[in-house]
Amino acid sequence: MTVLRRLSTQRSAALALAVVALLVLAAIAAPVVGWLTGNSPTEFHGEAVDPALGGLPRGAAGGISAEHWLGVEPVNGRDVLTRVVYGARVSLLIAVFATALSVLLGTTLGLLAGFLGGWVDTLIGRLMDLLMSFPGLIFMIALISAAPGADRRLLLVAVLGFFGWPYVGRIVRGQAMVLARGEFVAAARVLGASRRALLLREVLPNLTGPVLVVATMSIPACVATEAGLSFLGVGVQPPTPSWGQMIAAAVPWYAADPVYFLIPGAFLFATVLAFNVLGDAVRDALDPRSQRR
């Protein structure tokens, strides 16, 4: 409750939280948005584009009208609003599950390395160094391209989570090393607590704050990476909507139809910025040194 109260007193944090809440609500309510507008994310609207102009949307501002609130895509006339909200669902689901996987792996291995030390710490530490030294984006492209028939969404979750856990593990390891030498752990050990009890009851609960901050900061990184991979053509594949895919399709049209380029770009920018601001606010709220005296 103290963290929530401190977040509510920061205007930037409150605004970022509102943006995140709206994006999540839009992603959850994507079918409702499609029903309200009468459009599907994969439905073509040939009447909304002008073949004489090379397929540009009819009307001003990318074809914005009462039927298409954010306009339509050139050539095929698919509704931009429904594709954006369905794209939000895809991006956020991939980011959340990839972050959950990286946090689970990073917390487990980092906790073991920091608490047990010795050869366990050496082995896990070298594994983290090895993965962090790889050019992650190149390996992601290679791994995803090597499995053309796989479900790209599940593959993206696995790849992003696998390459993301060392960053979580490094932070958890450092915190666990400090906590393992704390007086409360020494007291529990004297009272006969087992190693498992020390890990799960004494050390792990005190890692909640750092893990929460890392998770909040990891989500926008996963959103941006997924968009980048989809932009390069190795992420989410059509007809499944994706912001990165929409931006890539809009590049040839940005001069003739800038609205089609700006809308998915604006949603991507707002999402990444909101999560980053929220992550900074959560970190400040959990840091006792940031409290006003």
Side-chain angles (χ1 to χ4, degrees):
M1 294 302 294
T2 302
V3 173
L4 293 177
R5 185 166 56 251
R6 296 192 64 191
L7 288 176
S8 64
T9 61
Q10 301 180 37
R11 293 183 180 180
S12 59
L15 180 60
L17 186 59
V19 171
V20 170
L22 287 174
L23 287 166
V24 172
L25 180 62
I28 294 173
V32 178
V33 174
W35 175 76
L36 288 174
T37 60
N39 297 307
S40 165
T42 58
E43 182 182 1
F44 289 8
H45 297 277
E47 76 283 354
V49 297
D50 189 351
L53 296 177
L56 282 174
R58 298 180 186 273
I64 293 177
S65 64
E67 293 79 20
H68 306 287
W69 299 351
L70 293 182
V72 297
E73 294 183 343
V75 180
N76 54 50
R78 290 183 297 193
D79 185 72
V80 172
L81 175 59
T82 54
R83 290 187 64 77
V84 163
V85 293
Y86 273 92
R89 169 180 285 193
V90 171
S91 295
L92 290 177
L93 280 176
I94 290 174
V96 168
F97 281 108
T99 298
L101 179 59
S102 64
V103 167
L104 178 62
L105 291 175
T107 301
T108 302
L109 295 176
L111 178 61
L112 292 175
F115 185 83
L116 299 178
W119 68 268
V120 176
D121 183 27
T122 301
L123 178 62
I124 297 176
R126 297 295 80 76
L127 179 60
M128 288 191 290
D129 292 339
L130 179 64
L131 290 176
M132 293 176 71
S133 66
F134 283 170
L137 184 60
I138 295 177
F139 272 81
M140 289 179 191
I141 294 173
L143 290 174
I144 294 173
S145 300
D151 187 323
R152 288 292 177 88
R153 288 167 292 187
L154 292 177
L155 196 56
L156 282 168
V157 169
V159 171
L160 291 174
F162 178 74
F163 281 97
W165 78 261
Y167 299 92
V168 182
R170 181 65 62 86
I171 294 174
V172 171
R173 172 183 173 273
Q175 294 291 324
M177 291 177 67
V178 174
L179 293 171
R181 293 167 175 79
E183 294 181 357
F184 66 98
V185 173
R189 185 180 287 112
V190 170
L191 292 175
S194 65
R195 181 174 292 180
R196 179 179 179 181
L198 292 175
L199 279 170
L200 299 181
R201 297 179 184 177
E202 303 297 336
V203 178
L204 183 59
N206 287 280
L207 293 172
T208 303
V211 169
L212 179 61
V213 173
V214 173
T216 309
M217 302 294 287
S218 296
I219 290 176
C222 289
V223 170
T225 304
E226 181 275 323
L229 291 172
S230 296
F231 180 86
L232 295 173
V234 294
V236 177
Q237 296 297 296
T240 303
S242 167
W243 291 343
Q245 179 193 119
M246 292 179 69
I247 293 172
V251 168
W253 299 92
Y254 75 91
D257 184 12
V259 174
Y260 178 39
F261 181 83
L262 291 175
I263 288 176
F267 272 86
L268 177 61
F269 173 78
T271 301
V272 174
L273 178 62
F275 272 107
N276 279 324
V277 171
L278 185 60
D280 287 337
V282 170
R283 180 190 59 199
D284 294 339
L286 292 172
D287 186 1
R289 292 171 295 180
S290 67
Q291 295 180 356
R292 295 182 181 179
R293 299 183 182 277

